[in-house]
């Protein structure tokens, strides 16, 4: 039976209002979660009740961005709500974290699970920081190149266009090419900008369609560029998460369900649903995981783990291996990217300067002759 239109709208309005009242872009930093969970774990071990622990932590300056969420969490806990139910109401806490907290409540090992989650988020934060630091220099080079080219095309080249045209001299091919590019951008630059904005808006709204979003996600997974690195990064994340889940006593099927709920990539989500269906039908874990989105090493480690009864250890070893492997691969890729970007920047700027300087020297020589 469908809900009355007015009631459905009121519920939808409440959800929108709830999201608007969250601090946008804050509270999702893994470092914040790591710090909160570590201190929360220590307070629970000291015998302090959960709502009192949250009350003690919420006013810390280090957790300032989490304060609105922690205020709401403390209020719910004080009213007698379970920790897992309380955090499930906040959009900043993922379904993965909620499920792990619920497991800790059911097994009586909430402090230990919070400690392990803290270590997990700390490692996630360290990896993200390494990637950001490594990407900083290439991004600066690309932005510099963009601004230099825009400055030359808009402010420098137009000054010389009239001079070259009035001189009547025969211009070299590179200068003619540069003048055509400058003329094209001066004539159609606004149109190109408007078209780009329109294309972005169209893409943004089309991504709200599930079929289109699924197609884009699948294309990104299958795209050949750096596919090996992306596969290794995904394998590391899944292996580490499943190791954490299994080590805390969560059954594999339930752990897979937890991971599936938190996946943003619709293609990955579909594959994980198929894995769960295969396991329910009686296939082995090795057979269910034998898919193109995972590395062969993961499948091999799962096979060994199944035979020895140490599946969680197999996932953990795979995750640890790929943490180091992906860090090395990213560093190596960026070491190649940096000189390539510098070469491109030098080539483009040099091409522009040479295209201007060559006919200028020819004009000066002509003037000396006369």
């Amino acid at each position: 039976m469908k809900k009355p239109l007015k009631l459905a709208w009121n519920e939808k309005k409440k959800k929108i209002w709830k999201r608007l009242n969250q601090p946008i872009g804050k509270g999702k930093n893994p470092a914040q979660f790591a710090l909160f969970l570590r201190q929360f774990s220590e307070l629970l071990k000291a015998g302090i009740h959960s709502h009192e622990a949250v009350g003690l932590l919420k006013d810390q300056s280090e957790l300032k961005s989490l304060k609105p969420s922690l205020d709401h969490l403390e209020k719910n806990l004080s009213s007698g709500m379970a920790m897992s139910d309380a955090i499930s109401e906040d959009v900043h806490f993922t379904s993965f974290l909620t499920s792990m907290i619920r497991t800790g409540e059911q097994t009586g090992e909430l402090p230990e699970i919070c400690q392990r989650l803290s270590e997990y988020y700390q490692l996630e934060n360290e990896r993200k920081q390494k990637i950001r630091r490594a990407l900083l220099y290439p991004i600066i080079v690309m932005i510099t190149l963009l601004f230099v080219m825009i400055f030359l095309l808009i402010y420098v080249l137009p000054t010389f266009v009239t001079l070259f045209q009035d001189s009547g001299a025969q211009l070299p091919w590179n200068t003619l090419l540069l003048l055509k590019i400058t003329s094209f951008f001066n004539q159609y630059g606004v149109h190109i900008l408007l078209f780009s904005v329109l294309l972005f808006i169209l893409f943004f709204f089309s991504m709200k369609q599930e079929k289109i979003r699924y197609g884009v996600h699948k294309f990104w997974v299958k795209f050949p560029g750096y596919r090996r690195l992306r596969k290794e990064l995904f394998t590391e994340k899944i292996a580490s998460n499943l190791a954490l889940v299994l080590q805390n006593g969560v059954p594999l099927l339930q752990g897979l369900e937890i991971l599936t709920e938190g996946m943003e990539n619709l293609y990955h989500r579909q594959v994980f649903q198929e894995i769960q269906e295969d396991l329910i039908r009686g296939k082995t874990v090795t057979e269910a995981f034998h898919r193109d989105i995972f590395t062969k090493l993961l499948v091999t480690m799962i096979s060994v783990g199944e035979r020895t009864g140490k599946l969680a250890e197999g996932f953990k070893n795979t995750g640890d291996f790929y943490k180091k492997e992906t860090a090395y691969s990213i560093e190596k890729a960026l070491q190649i990217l940096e000189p390539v970007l510098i070469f491109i920047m030098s080539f483009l700027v040099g091409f522009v300067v040479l295209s201007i300087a060559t006919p200028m020297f020819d004009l000066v020589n002509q003037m000396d002759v006369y």
Side-chain angles (χ1 to χ4, degrees):
M1 183 178 177
K2 292 185 177 180
K3 294 180 181 179
L5 186 61
K6 187 175 180 181
L7 181 60
W9 167 244
N10 286 336
E11 288 181 0
K12 188 174 182 180
K13 191 162 60 173
K14 285 179 182 178
K15 288 180 180 179
I16 295 171
W17 182 250
K18 179 182 173 182
R19 284 188 174 269
L20 289 174
N21 277 280
Q22 298 298 332
I24 298 171
K26 295 182 178 180
K28 293 185 178 181
N29 187 345
Q32 294 284 308
F33 283 127
L35 178 60
F36 166 69
L37 289 166
R38 184 172 67 251
Q39 295 180 343
F40 183 70
S41 172
E42 293 301 322
L43 290 173
L44 290 181
K45 289 177 183 177
I48 298 174
H49 196 273
S50 58
H51 77 272
E52 294 175 333
V54 174
L56 290 170
L57 296 174
K58 69 176 185 178
D59 293 322
Q60 289 193 44
S61 58
E62 295 88 349
L63 299 174
K64 188 177 179 181
S65 62
L66 275 177
K67 191 177 186 312
S69 296
L70 295 181
D71 283 336
H72 186 64
L73 179 60
E74 183 192 20
K75 182 181 177 182
N76 286 339
L77 290 173
S78 299
S79 66
M81 191 179 290
M83 179 79 174
S84 56
D85 294 331
I87 66 173
S88 66
E89 292 191 354
D90 194 298
V91 294
H92 290 154
F93 297 106
T94 63
S95 57
F96 173 72
L97 178 61
T98 303
S99 299
M100 293 302 297
I101 295 294
R102 183 172 288 113
T103 301
E105 290 173 335
Q106 292 170 353
T107 59
E109 296 182 355
L110 185 57
E112 290 75 14
I113 286 182
C114 285
Q115 180 63 39
R116 289 174 185 171
L117 284 168
S118 171
E119 294 168 1
Y120 166 78
Y121 282 116
Q122 185 61 40
L123 289 171
E124 280 287 298
N125 181 63
E126 288 173 3
R127 186 178 69 171
K128 286 183 178 180
Q129 290 298 326
K130 284 180 182 178
I131 294 173
R132 284 172 185 168
R133 284 196 295 268
L135 286 173
L136 181 62
Y137 180 73
I139 289 172
I140 291 174
V141 172
M142 290 176 70
I143 292 173
T144 304
L145 173 61
L146 179 64
F147 276 102
V148 167
M149 293 306 298
I150 290 173
F151 176 77
L152 290 173
L153 289 173
I154 294 177
Y155 296 103
V156 176
L157 282 176
T159 307
F160 293 93
V161 170
T162 306
L163 178 63
F164 291 153
Q165 290 174 342
D166 293 342
S167 67
Q170 186 174 358
L171 300 175
W173 68 269
N174 54 330
T175 306
L176 288 172
L177 176 62
L178 195 62
L179 291 176
K180 286 181 179 179
I181 293 172
T182 304
S183 175
F184 175 80
F185 277 103
N186 285 336
Q187 189 173 356
Y188 299 107
V190 176
H191 299 83
I192 292 171
L193 180 62
L194 290 174
F195 178 74
S196 300
V197 172
L198 183 64
L199 199 65
F200 174 79
I201 293 171
L202 183 65
F203 177 76
F204 176 79
F205 282 104
S206 65
M207 284 294 284
K208 293 183 180 295
Q209 301 293 323
E210 190 169 327
K211 287 184 179 179
I212 296 175
R213 196 160 72 250
Y214 173 84
V216 172
H217 289 171
K218 184 176 181 179
F219 172 79
W220 173 245
V221 173
K222 301 287 186 180
F223 184 71
Y226 281 101
R227 187 180 178 186
R228 178 185 170 186
L229 177 57
R230 287 185 281 113
K231 185 185 286 189
E232 289 178 353
L233 285 167
F234 181 69
T235 299
E236 181 272 320
K237 183 178 181 180
I238 294 303
S240 298
N241 285 353
L242 283 174
L244 181 63
V245 166
L246 294 176
Q247 286 172 342
N248 286 288
V250 179
L252 180 59
L253 270 174
Q254 187 180 338
L256 289 170
E257 188 179 343
I258 291 169
L259 296 188
T260 305
E261 288 176 4
M263 285 183 178
E264 295 181 0
N265 188 299
L266 297 184
Y267 178 68
H268 283 157
R269 189 182 295 178
Q270 184 194 49
V271 171
F272 266 71
Q273 288 170 348
E274 291 172 358
I275 290 173
Q276 293 171 63
E277 290 169 4
D278 285 348
L279 291 173
I280 291 170
R281 283 196 293 263
K283 284 190 176 183
T284 64
V285 182
T286 306
E287 290 172 338
F289 271 82
H290 200 279
R291 296 173 188 271
D292 189 45
I293 62 171
F294 302 116
T295 62
K296 291 182 179 178
L297 177 62
L298 175 64
V299 179
T300 303
M301 294 299 288
I302 289 173
S303 178
V304 173
E306 275 193 301
R307 290 198 304 268
T308 59
K310 297 179 180 179
L311 194 57
E313 188 176 326
F315 281 121
K316 186 178 185 304
N317 291 338
T318 306
D320 292 342
F321 171 78
Y322 279 119
K323 275 186 178 73
K324 297 175 184 177
E325 190 69 18
T326 52
Y328 172 76
S329 298
I330 291 169
E331 186 178 350
K332 187 178 177 182
L334 290 172
Q335 285 176 353
I336 296 171
L337 182 63
E338 286 177 11
V340 169
L341 287 174
I342 292 172
F343 172 77
I344 293 172
M345 182 177 179
S346 303
F347 174 79
L348 290 175
V349 174
F351 178 81
V352 172
V353 172
L354 190 64
S355 299
I356 296 173
T358 303
M360 284 297 295
F361 286 133
D362 291 341
L363 286 175
V364 171
N365 290 332
Q366 290 178 11
M367 291 173 65
D368 289 342
V369 170
Y370 292 110

